[in-house]
Amino acid sequence: MGIKIVSTGSYVPNKVLTNFDLEKMVETSDEWITTRTGIKERRIAENETTSDMATKAVLKALSGESAEDVELFLTATATPDMFFPSTACIVQANLKNKRALAFDISAACTGFIYGLYVADSIMRSKNIKKGVVIGAERFSKILNWEDRTTCILFGDGAGAVVLEQSEEEGILGFDIGADGSYGDLLYVESVGSNNKPPHYLYMKGNEVFKVAVRTMTDSAKRVLEKTGISADEISMLVPHQANVRIIDAVAKRLGIRDDKIFVNLNRYGNTSAASIPIALDEAVREGRVKKGDLVLMVAFGGGFTWGSCIVRL
């Protein structure tokens, strides 16, 4: 038995916040943000919760199919609606499913890769035929909009994939890990995306940048080695969308050409656990990747956590 990604979906809010809008809010400029991050705009959820966005992403991934057959809902999020019930349980209820396993995991920006790893393991061990992994974030609720070093970076959105048992092996390998000694470089003390945040996101950007490039590169190299796949065989690199300089540095170290890198950071900013599934869905729908292609996904996030995964679509 193999596990394959059979469909993808994503959702982003309608409100667009551009760099020019931010110029009116904090001391910054479009040129400064673009040069240092590659971000031009991001989406902001106004009257939508994390679970609202997650539900819409799942509906798109299901493509009209009933959610009744889904046996697992796993949501990766650092900005849940509330501490409990889990965002996954809320999504399950929204979709009128009453039988599936449903729970959240928190691994910050690496959450979706962690989620795939956990879902893959559960589906194999428990003979689950159909599962959904979601990455969903409402980071706009935990940002200090007077802090120009962080508020320019993040946005809101959700992405999802449907996993099914298959005679073909779709998920080929993982490399995941964490090093909690870096925890003070990027953190939020408490959060509930439905409530006014008692604490904001804090980040030491320069230190995070250095560790991110090294860690993502090393993780990607390890998963390539584990699977026996060369970088030249990869059809598309779908990295966590945090900073275009990080993405360029990682791709260069891996020897992956620019035309094999999917980037939508300029339109959405860093959507944390949602960034890879949103990017994967767009790559599929734009025809950048197709059935049979090898896709390398790699992420890095607060914790520090890291993870990479190779899938054959």
Side-chain angles (χ1 to χ4, degrees):
M1 184 191 73
I3 303 295
K4 285 185 74 74
I5 294 175
V6 297
S7 59
T8 63
S10 62
Y11 173 82
V12 292
N14 291 326
K15 181 179 179 180
V16 178
L17 185 70
T18 69
N19 292 346
F20 296 107
D21 294 326
L22 283 168
E23 288 179 352
K24 302 171 185 176
M25 299 166 58
V26 292
E27 186 179 346
T28 191
S29 70
D30 171 66
E31 180 183 8
W32 193 94
I33 298 171
T34 303
T35 302
R36 287 161 178 79
T37 70
I39 301 169
K40 297 294 290 186
E41 59 187 41
R42 65 287 294 149
R43 300 298 181 96
I44 304 296
E46 295 183 283
N47 299 310
E48 295 172 296
T49 64
T50 299
S51 64
D52 290 335
M53 294 185 289
T55 301
K56 291 173 182 177
V58 173
L59 284 170
K60 190 173 178 181
L62 288 171
S63 302
E65 293 187 7
S66 171
E68 291 183 1
D69 295 333
V70 176
E71 299 174 74
L72 168 67
F73 288 96
L74 192 160
T75 300
T77 183
T79 54
D81 287 11
M82 57 190 78
F83 288 108
F84 61 86
S86 69
T87 302
C89 280
I90 298 172
V91 172
Q92 180 197 27
N94 289 345
L95 296 175
K96 306 294 190 294
N97 179 301
K98 296 186 178 182
R99 59 188 293 265
L101 289 168
F103 62 97
D104 292 353
I105 63 169
S106 178
C109 300
T110 318
F112 180 72
I113 301 294
Y114 269 51
L116 279 181
Y117 179 80
V118 173
D120 178 71
S121 301
I122 292 175
M123 290 179 70
R124 291 177 192 274
S125 65
K126 300 299 182 183
N127 195 30
I128 289 176
K129 294 181 173 57
K130 187 171 187 175
V132 171
V133 178
I134 309 160
E137 303 284 14
R138 193 183 180 192
F139 257 57
S140 61
K141 290 290 288 185
I142 60 170
L143 296 176
N144 180 353
W145 290 99
E146 297 180 356
D147 178 7
R148 64 177 182 171
T149 66
T150 57
C151 73
I152 65 171
L153 300 175
F154 297 91
D156 302 333
V161 297
V162 177
L163 304 177
E164 290 186 359
Q165 289 185 8
S166 171
E167 294 181 358
E168 300 176 324
E169 191 61 83
I171 298 180
L172 304 182
F174 291 93
D175 175 78
I176 60 170
D179 185 346
S181 66
Y182 291 105
D184 63 336
L185 299 185
L186 175 59
Y187 66 92
V188 180
E189 291 184 337
S190 65
V191 61
S193 76
N194 272 350
N195 306 311
K196 183 178 179 180
H199 298 283
Y200 293 119
L201 178 146
Y202 296 91
M203 181 174 68
K204 298 178 182 177
N206 290 335
E207 291 89 341
V208 171
F209 182 95
K210 295 172 187 176
V211 182
V213 171
R214 182 180 73 250
T215 304
M216 289 175 68
T217 302
D218 291 347
S219 181
K221 286 181 176 179
R222 285 192 295 267
V223 79
L224 288 167
E225 183 178 356
K226 288 177 182 178
T227 57
I229 295 169
S230 71
D232 290 340
E233 295 177 271
I234 296 298
S235 304
M236 187 64 63
L237 170 65
V238 181
H240 169 51
Q241 309 285 312
N243 183 303
V244 72
R245 293 188 298 155
I246 293 176
I247 294 172
D248 289 344
V250 171
K252 183 177 181 180
R253 295 185 183 194
L254 294 175
I256 294 178
R257 303 193 314 261
D258 289 349
D259 62 323
K260 289 187 173 185
I261 311 166
F262 192 86
V263 178
N264 60 4
L265 172 74
N266 56 313
R267 291 181 286 122
Y268 302 132
N270 182 348
T271 56
S272 189
S275 77
I276 286 180
I278 291 174
L280 179 63
D281 180 52
E282 292 196 341
V284 169
R285 293 177 189 276
E286 292 175 15
R288 295 281 301 277
V289 291
K290 57 188 182 300
K291 186 176 180 180
D293 282 352
L294 289 172
V295 177
L296 169 59
M297 298 176 280
V298 59
F300 169 90
F304 281 157
T305 60
W306 63 81
S308 54
C309 175
I310 297 178
V311 301
R312 187 182 297 278
L313 294 179

